[in-house]
Amino acid sequence: MPPKKQVEEKPGAWSLGKFSRSLKVGLVGMPNVGKSTLYNSLSKSHHAAAENFPFCTIEPNETRAFMPDARFDWLVEQHKPKSEVQPYLQVVDIAGLVSGASTGAGLG
């Protein structure tokens, strides 16, 4: 019986993480620089308290901001799918970072 033929494996496309239809972004920075204000403007809401004192945000706030796209509308018109899932950006507002935050410092 002849030996099996050696198959040469070619490397595939490089990818980071799992493919999905959405993006997730976290707003990270120093205290009182406007992260919650940016979060409220991106989400078109006032879910996050944007007060003028340090460490106003303790628990992360999370929302979806839908991204209107003319190309998506064109694809829907051409192919007429049974359902439409609008593209969105998931925005997370994280508490301000200070030195020692990894040990619990800075959250009031």
Side-chain angles (χ1 to χ4, degrees):
M1 184 182 237
K4 290 186 177 181
K5 189 175 183 180
Q6 294 293 331
V7 177
E8 189 175 312
E9 291 185 27
K10 295 181 182 178
W14 183 81
S15 66
L16 178 64
K18 181 175 85 171
F19 175 77
S20 71
R21 292 187 180 102
S22 66
L23 296 173
K24 187 172 185 177
V25 70
L27 304 175
V28 181
M30 301 299 290
N32 285 355
V33 294
K35 295 179 299 297
S36 296
T37 304
L38 178 61
Y39 172 85
N40 286 335
S41 65
L42 285 175
S43 64
K44 297 180 183 174
S45 68
H46 297 288
H47 291 231
E51 305 295 332
N52 195 16
F53 60 89
F55 310 112
C56 178
T57 303
I58 294 184
E59 293 295 319
N61 298 306
E62 194 167 333
T63 190
R64 289 182 178 179
F66 288 94
M67 301 286 123
D69 190 0
R71 298 171 296 176
F72 177 78
D73 297 335
W74 181 83
L75 285 170
V76 168
E77 288 176 13
Q78 295 297 316
H79 297 284
K80 306 205 184 335
K82 292 180 183 177
S83 66
E84 299 175 26
V85 178
Q86 292 282 338
Y88 61 88
L89 174 68
Q90 195 162 356
V91 184
V92 181
D93 181 23
I94 302 169
L97 298 178
V98 294
S99 63
S102 64
T103 61
L107 292 177

